[in-house]
């Protein structure tokens, strides 16, 4: 038995241009918001003030409409500032091409986009101050900065829609801090009794319960919901907590029962399900039993599918190099084995360790997160440390979806903060630092345009002949804004969209003669300000 172990395309083009043309510096004094820049505007550094003052004529030939000096509140500008110019061009022009033209002007030292800046991003979730693992100011009696530097990472990227499979006790998919971030199977139609996507599971719209062999992976233990909240609790919703990646999609795969135990065979099946359905990261906050070849084979299959496996090291206070703990002690290269650290940067008293078998540490003692029943609780265990790493891996993949599992692992392991408590007890001897890992990516973690996150709302019942209004207003875009909505009914003769099909709040009506019990799927497709789209579905059952 096993048990739980308690931004834009133009910005990337700009980064490439900077690599060609010199060592451009980011805006100083505030944190630049990745990918956001003033349209049609560049900051240009000249080698001398003479070169800068003489640039107007040649700039016009390059298509620049205006050249102006920087102002400094009436104070004398530094020598460096005197060689800076703001250049404007037609905002419809390609940013990288204009940077190329400007970089070729006489006397140009470097050129960069004129980035928009913002104050540090602290979410408004009501209990954020208790999340010492994300942001530790000593608020719970701990050591200042003994955390993963989440807000510092969020100054670059707050999240992205990456699928994370939580192989655990299930998840409370109705929890207000999780509902919007639950994965939906795009190949399955809810409630029709058919295996639409041909994967062997009927109506698996939100994952699977491998304990009861049904399509309802609801958590009846608390553990999986807690893990899920650390990874991907909704951010800036004014309540509860926030996940490391507040836009990740949780795929709940339940193989542990209400008592917190389960069979390896169910774990293996859950892993293969996640592989087939496209998970990019899996979290395994469980362990026990002896070496299993079937489990090893499943982990190898995940490695071959380029999936990052975050695995809890175990809670037996032992060296797993000499006394293995599975699956943490499997030798697959895609595993990141995680020890638990405390708010004072100690290794938690219960945490397993190993200079060869455990990769790094992450917060795992007295961690607040979501539990079923719209509630929250603090749990301790390497189970709580591992989801910090799973969330971090998903954030790196949101920044650069082309990363391999090896690149994600390297980024996380090569940027740890060394702490004495982990010296000789993990491969890296350090605690994970999300901000440093994100900054280590090529381009500083600046992604191409991230897709929007569609949210069609909860499933509803609708009486024959009745009308109601739906809402997709909770749809978001992690690096821009949602600018378009489109709703489609798969059975318009049963449930018809009568108004607002291209708005966030359409009106629908159930047919007066519709058959009671008929389930109709409404699909919402949203479009962001860069033309990327995403879809979500909800169902209407006729009553």
């Amino acid at each position: 038995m096993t048990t739980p172990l308690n931004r834009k395309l133009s910005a990337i083009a700009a980064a490439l241009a900077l690599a060609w043309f010199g060592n451009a510096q980011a805006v100083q004094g505030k944190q630049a918001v990745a990918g956001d820049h003033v349209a049609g505007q560049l900051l240009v550094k000249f080698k001398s003030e003479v070169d800068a003052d003489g640039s107007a004529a040649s700039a016009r030939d390059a298509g620049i409409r205006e050249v102006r000096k920087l102002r400094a509140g009436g104070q004398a500008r530094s020598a460096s500032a005197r060689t800076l110019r703001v250049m404007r061009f037609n905002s419809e022009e390609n940013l990288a091409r204009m940077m190329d033209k400007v970089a070729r002007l006489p006397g140009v030292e470097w050129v960069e986009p004129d980035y928009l800046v913002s104050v540090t991003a602290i979410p408004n979730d009501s209990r954020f101050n208790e999340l010492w693992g994300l942001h530790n100011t000593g608020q719970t009696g701990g050591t200042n900065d003994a955390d993963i530097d989440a807000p510092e990472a969020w100054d670059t990227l707050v999240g992205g829609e990456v699928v994370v499979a939580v192989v655990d006790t299930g998840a409370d998919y109705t929890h207000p801090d999780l509902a919007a971030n639950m994965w939906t199977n795009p190949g399955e139609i809810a409630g029709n009794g058919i295996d639409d996507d041909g994967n062997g599971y009927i109506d698996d719209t939100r994952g699977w319960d491998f304990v009861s062999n049904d399509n309802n992976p609801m958590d009846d233990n608390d553990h999986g919901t807690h893990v899920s909240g650390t990874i991907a609790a909704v951010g800036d919703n004014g309540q509860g907590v926030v996940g490391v990646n507040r836009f990740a999609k949780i795929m709940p795969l339940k193989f542990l029962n209400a008592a917190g135990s389960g069979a390896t065979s169910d774990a293996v099946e859950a892993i293969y399900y996640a592989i087939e359905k496209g998970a990019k990261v899996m979290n395994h906050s469980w362990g026990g039993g002896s070496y299993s070849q079937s489990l090893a084979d499943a982990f190898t299959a995940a490695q071959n599918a380029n999936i990052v496996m975050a695995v809890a090291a175990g809670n037996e206070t032992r060296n797993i190099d000499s006394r293995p703990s599975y699956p943490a002690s499997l030798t697959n290269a895609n595993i990141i084995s995680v020890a638990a650290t405390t708010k004072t940067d100690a290794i938690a008293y219960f945490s397993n360790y190993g200079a060869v078998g455990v990769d790094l540490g992450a917060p795992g003692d007295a961690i607040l997160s979501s539990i079923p029943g719209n509630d929250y609780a603090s749990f301790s265990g390497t189970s709580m440390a591992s989801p910090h790493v799973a969330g971090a891996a998903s954030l790196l993949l949101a920044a650069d979806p082309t990363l391999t599992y090896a690149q994600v692992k390297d980024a996380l392991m090569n940027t740890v903060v060394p702490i004495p408590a982990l010296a000789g007890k993990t491969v890296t001897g350090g605690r994970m630092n999300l901000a440093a890992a994100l900054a280590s990516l090529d381009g500083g973690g600046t992604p191409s345009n991230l897709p929007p996150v569609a949210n069609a709302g909860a499933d509803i019942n609708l009486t024959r002949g009745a009308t109601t209004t739906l809402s997709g207003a909770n749809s978001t875009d992690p690096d821009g804004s949602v600018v378009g909505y489109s709703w489609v009914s798969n059975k318009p003769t049963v449930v018809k969209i009568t108004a607002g099909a291209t708005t966030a709040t359409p009106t629908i009506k159930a047919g007066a003669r519709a058959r009671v019990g008929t389930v109709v799927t409404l699909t919402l497709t949203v479009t962001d300000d860069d033309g990327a789209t995403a879809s979500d579905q909800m169902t209407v059952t006729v009553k």
Side-chain angles (χ1 to χ4, degrees):
M1 304 287 278
T2 54
T3 56
L5 306 173
N6 270 359
R7 227 170 18 89
K8 311 287 184 186
L9 181 60
S10 58
I12 282 193
L16 291 173
L18 296 180
W20 300 334
F21 306 140
N23 297 319
Q25 301 296 314
V27 177
Q28 299 297 310
K30 293 184 180 179
Q31 295 293 324
V33 179
D36 289 343
H37 58 273
V38 181
Q41 193 156 298
L42 300 171
L43 272 170
V44 183
K45 173 72 162 58
F46 287 86
K47 295 176 182 178
S48 70
E49 191 172 1
V50 173
D51 289 327
D53 289 340
S55 67
S58 57
R60 283 194 298 271
D61 293 340
I64 298 298
R65 298 189 309 188
E66 179 185 349
V67 179
R68 68 173 177 85
K69 299 179 180 180
L70 291 185
R71 300 176 182 176
Q75 301 299 315
R77 291 175 293 140
S78 68
S80 177
R82 289 195 294 270
T83 61
L84 282 172
R85 295 293 182 270
V86 177
M87 294 190 172
R88 294 192 55 80
F89 59 92
N90 188 328
S91 60
E92 295 180 358
E93 291 284 348
N94 179 271
L95 176 64
R97 184 165 56 249
M98 291 305 297
M99 290 180 70
D100 185 15
K101 287 184 177 181
V102 172
R104 299 177 191 279
L105 296 179
V108 169
E109 186 172 331
W110 52 252
V111 56
E112 66 179 9
D114 193 358
Y115 290 112
L116 295 170
V117 296
S118 175
V119 296
T120 302
I122 296 294
N124 65 14
D125 304 84
S126 59
R127 302 187 70 174
F128 176 77
N129 189 54
E130 298 174 60
L131 302 181
W132 70 263
L134 302 185
H135 187 52
N136 191 348
T137 62
Q139 72 270 38
T140 60
T143 301
N144 184 58
D145 211 31
D147 55 38
I148 69 168
D149 276 355
E152 291 87 342
W154 294 336
D155 284 340
T156 298
L157 182 66
V158 297
E161 192 171 322
V162 174
V163 179
V164 181
V166 175
V167 183
D168 211 289
T169 64
D172 181 358
Y173 44 79
T174 67
H175 196 291
D177 246 350
L178 292 176
N181 284 348
M182 299 308 297
W183 171 79
T184 301
N185 184 355
E188 199 74 16
I189 298 173
N192 67 355
I194 299 172
D195 179 15
D196 300 285
D197 59 1
N199 68 342
Y201 303 92
I202 295 174
D203 291 339
D204 56 320
T205 56
R206 58 168 71 92
W208 197 256
D209 177 357
F210 295 90
V211 177
S212 301
N213 195 32
D214 61 36
N215 65 353
N216 183 20
M218 177 58 76
D219 185 6
D220 52 7
N221 173 276
D222 291 356
H223 191 269
T225 301
H226 195 280
V227 165
S228 297
T230 296
I231 297 169
V234 175
D236 277 328
N237 61 350
Q239 63 181 355
V241 296
V242 61
V244 176
N245 179 353
R246 67 186 72 176
F247 291 118
K249 290 297 184 182
I250 296 295
M251 178 191 293
L253 301 177
K254 178 177 180 174
F255 89 101
L256 298 171
N257 61 25
S261 62
T264 296
S265 57
D266 287 336
V268 168
E269 189 174 5
I271 291 168
Y272 282 117
Y273 181 100
I275 293 170
E276 181 179 352
K277 300 312 296 181
K280 301 301 182 185
V281 179
M282 292 192 217
N283 187 81
H284 301 278
S285 288
W286 50 272
S290 300
Y291 173 84
S292 165
Q293 187 63 54
S294 62
L295 185 62
D297 289 346
F299 269 68
T300 297
Q303 180 175 322
N304 293 338
N306 197 36
I307 298 172
V308 178
M309 304 291 249
V311 182
N315 297 336
E316 294 79 34
T317 319
R318 75 175 191 234
N319 185 341
I320 68 171
D321 292 345
S322 56
R323 297 176 59 198
S325 176
Y326 297 101
S329 293
L330 293 174
T331 57
N332 298 85
N334 61 333
I335 290 176
I336 304 175
S337 178
V338 190
T341 59
T342 72
K343 62 188 179 183
T344 60
D345 258 347
I347 185 170
Y349 75 90
F350 50 78
S351 181
N352 287 349
Y353 55 91
V356 176
V358 179
D359 293 308
L360 47 71
D365 184 52
I367 301 300
L368 180 70
S369 189
S370 49
I371 60 171
N374 300 348
D375 208 350
Y376 302 87
S378 290
F379 292 168
S380 295
T382 55
S383 280
M384 287 59 255
S386 179
H388 282 89
V389 173
S394 73
L395 192 70
L396 298 189
L397 286 166
D400 185 352
T402 69
L403 293 175
T404 65
Y405 72 78
Q407 290 171 317
V408 171
K409 184 174 180 177
D410 285 349
L412 292 172
M413 291 183 63
N414 292 340
T415 57
V416 299
V417 176
I419 58 175
L422 294 179
K425 291 195 171 183
T426 65
V427 174
T428 61
R431 166 183 33 82
M432 183 183 73
N433 185 296
L434 177 58
L438 188 62
S440 74
L441 302 183
D442 290 341
T446 303
S448 57
N449 178 51
L450 295 172
V453 180
N455 185 345
D459 299 342
I460 63 170
N461 298 324
L462 189 62
T463 304
R464 287 190 299 180
T467 62
T468 192
T469 300
L470 305 180
S471 178
N474 287 328
S475 299
T476 57
D477 183 31
D479 61 350
S481 57
V482 175
V483 298
Y485 300 83
S486 176
W487 295 82
V488 176
S489 170
N490 74 329
K491 297 177 182 177
T493 59
V494 179
V495 174
K496 182 179 180 180
I497 301 172
T498 59
T502 57
T503 70
T505 54
T507 301
I508 62 171
K509 181 177 182 180
R513 298 183 179 180
R515 178 176 297 178
V516 172
T518 302
V519 178
V520 179
T521 300
L522 278 294
T523 301
L524 167 64
T525 301
V526 297
T527 304
D528 72 8
D529 50 0
D530 278 294
T533 61
S535 297
D536 189 28
Q537 295 179 331
M538 55 83 65
T539 61
V540 178
T541 302
V542 178
K543 296 295 183 180

